[in-house]
Amino acid sequence: MCRGSIKIRAIAFALLISAFVSVGEAQEGCSSYGPWFEEQAGCDPCSVSGGTLFRWSQDLSASGGPDLTEPLVTDRPDFTESSSTVGRGVLQLEMGYTYSFDNDGTEQLRSHSYPETLFRYGILADWLELRLDWNYAEEEIRGANPDLLSGGEDLGLGLKVALTPQAGLLPEMALIPQMSVPTGSSAFSDEEVLPGVIWIYSWEVSDRISTAGSSQINRAIDGLSGEAYLEFAQSWAASLSFSEKLGGYCEWYGLIPSSAESVLPEHYFNGGLTYLINNDLQLDIRAGTGLNDAALDYFVGTGISIRMP
């Protein structure tokens, strides 16, 4: 361990994560907890990257975090968020458009979603980013009870914390505590603050293949009863780089309500392509289909992501 006084909060955080981050015997003069703990203890960072909050003790040389010399890493177009942050002082803007359709036999729903804006900005350290997302929606219902709704959705706020780099079979991980705040129009606002959290884990299998998953839990509102319930979401994605500029992915994800009166589980399969204009600019397209009756029949979309170092 590093010599010097170790602050109480560093010890508390180390104990908190010991359940899922192995901490082994450190190298001489170096903490195995990670660069943040070394700084709090008044020690040198031991020549280890500060791109993640913690490090796996099985491989203290493993480094993670953003690399501005490499292509940007985006949270879109799939459901699974990326397990890395953008880097301190870096702004990344991601936005797009989605058209979705559903026919339940009695009514048809056509919806347009745009601009699906996500602002990501690195603050304080490379492993921490501030997140803000906002969207506008239009829904047209055709059938026995036709209706046309449009308006802004509730604002989303959150932080992404890059937890660990990948070390062999041990994944790169990130955590996103988040919440929506009631700023939307009456047609789309939940009219209260709804907190949630996302845990993301990923592996680079080779230079061309990667895989990732996410587990999340969010507070949600049942549109029929107006009562709150918990919504669990699980996803798994696989990505393939066809060339230096062209990539693709396929993914399954499910939305699973708990104790909701009218909301049913929804499962989807989707895939898409990404095209890199340059290291700081990426285009994407995607399409998906519902896997059960409660899910939408299909959706298609496109988007753009821009990194501003």
Side-chain angles (χ1 to χ4, degrees):
M1 299 292 291
C2 288
R3 291 183 291 271
S5 61
I6 300 179
K7 295 184 179 180
I8 294 177
R9 60 176 175 173
I11 298 175
F13 271 104
L15 292 174
L16 180 64
I17 64 151
S18 63
F20 62 91
V21 177
S22 300
V23 178
E25 183 178 355
Q27 300 172 355
E28 182 179 357
C30 182
S31 167
S32 63
Y33 296 127
W36 184 84
F37 291 105
E38 292 159 0
E39 181 181 349
Q40 299 305 305
C43 306
D44 292 333
C46 307
S47 300
V48 177
S49 168
T52 58
L53 182 57
F54 307 118
R55 288 171 293 148
W56 295 107
S57 63
Q58 283 83 345
D59 187 357
L60 295 177
S61 65
S63 62
D67 185 351
L68 299 184
T69 66
E70 294 293 324
L72 76 171
V73 179
T74 64
D75 282 353
R76 61 168 302 117
D78 56 355
F79 181 86
T80 307
E81 312 280 11
S82 66
S83 55
S84 61
T85 48
V86 295
R88 183 173 62 177
V90 175
L91 173 64
Q92 189 160 304
L93 172 62
E94 305 179 16
M95 52 190 174
Y97 163 81
T98 300
Y99 170 81
S100 57
F101 175 84
D102 186 53
N103 187 345
D104 64 4
T106 59
E107 292 182 335
Q108 292 183 357
L109 171 66
R110 291 175 168 84
S111 64
H112 304 269
S113 172
Y114 57 90
E116 300 177 346
T117 308
L118 172 61
F119 292 94
R120 305 170 60 191
Y121 184 71
I123 58 173
L124 301 179
D126 280 343
W127 48 263
L128 183 64
E129 74 175 39
L130 177 67
R131 301 164 61 84
L132 184 151
D133 63 86
W134 181 82
N135 189 48
Y136 187 89
E138 296 179 0
E139 292 186 355
E140 180 186 5
I141 300 174
R142 297 181 181 180
N145 300 296
D147 201 357
L148 182 62
L149 304 172
S150 63
E153 297 179 348
D154 287 343
L155 182 71
L157 301 173
L159 294 170
K160 181 186 281 189
V161 182
L163 294 177
T164 63
Q166 182 179 346
L169 295 178
L170 300 173
E172 179 178 81
M173 298 194 302
L175 196 69
I176 303 178
Q178 61 181 7
M179 64 179 177
S180 64
V181 293
T183 59
S185 64
S186 58
F188 296 102
S189 177
D190 288 313
E191 299 182 348
E192 63 177 272
V193 174
L194 300 175
V197 64
I198 308 174
W199 174 37
I200 311 144
Y201 30 90
S202 70
W203 293 262
E204 292 285 343
V205 180
S206 69
D207 291 340
R208 298 180 59 200
I209 301 173
S210 62
T211 186
S214 69
S215 304
Q216 60 177 288
I217 180 171
N218 299 288
R219 191 169 187 264
I221 300 297
D222 190 311
L224 182 62
S225 67
E227 297 296 322
Y229 67 94
L230 290 180
E231 181 180 75
F232 299 89
Q234 182 63 46
S235 70
W236 202 274
S239 302
L240 173 66
S241 295
F242 300 107
S243 68
E244 290 185 356
K245 291 185 175 293
L246 183 64
Y249 79 93
C250 60
E251 175 189 52
W252 162 84
Y253 68 91
L255 309 175
I256 306 162
S258 174
S259 303
E261 182 175 326
S262 65
V263 183
L264 299 175
E266 301 178 21
H267 296 272
Y268 295 91
F269 179 83
N270 74 106
L273 298 171
T274 60
Y275 185 77
L276 200 66
I277 303 297
N278 56 51
N279 278 1
D280 298 318
L281 179 61
Q282 178 180 281
L283 306 178
D284 65 70
I285 57 172
R286 64 182 179 128
T289 182
L291 300 177
N292 64 332
D293 289 340
L296 297 171
D297 288 347
Y298 68 85
F299 59 86
V300 294
T302 186
I304 184 172
S305 300
I306 306 168
R307 180 174 64 184
M308 291 165 271

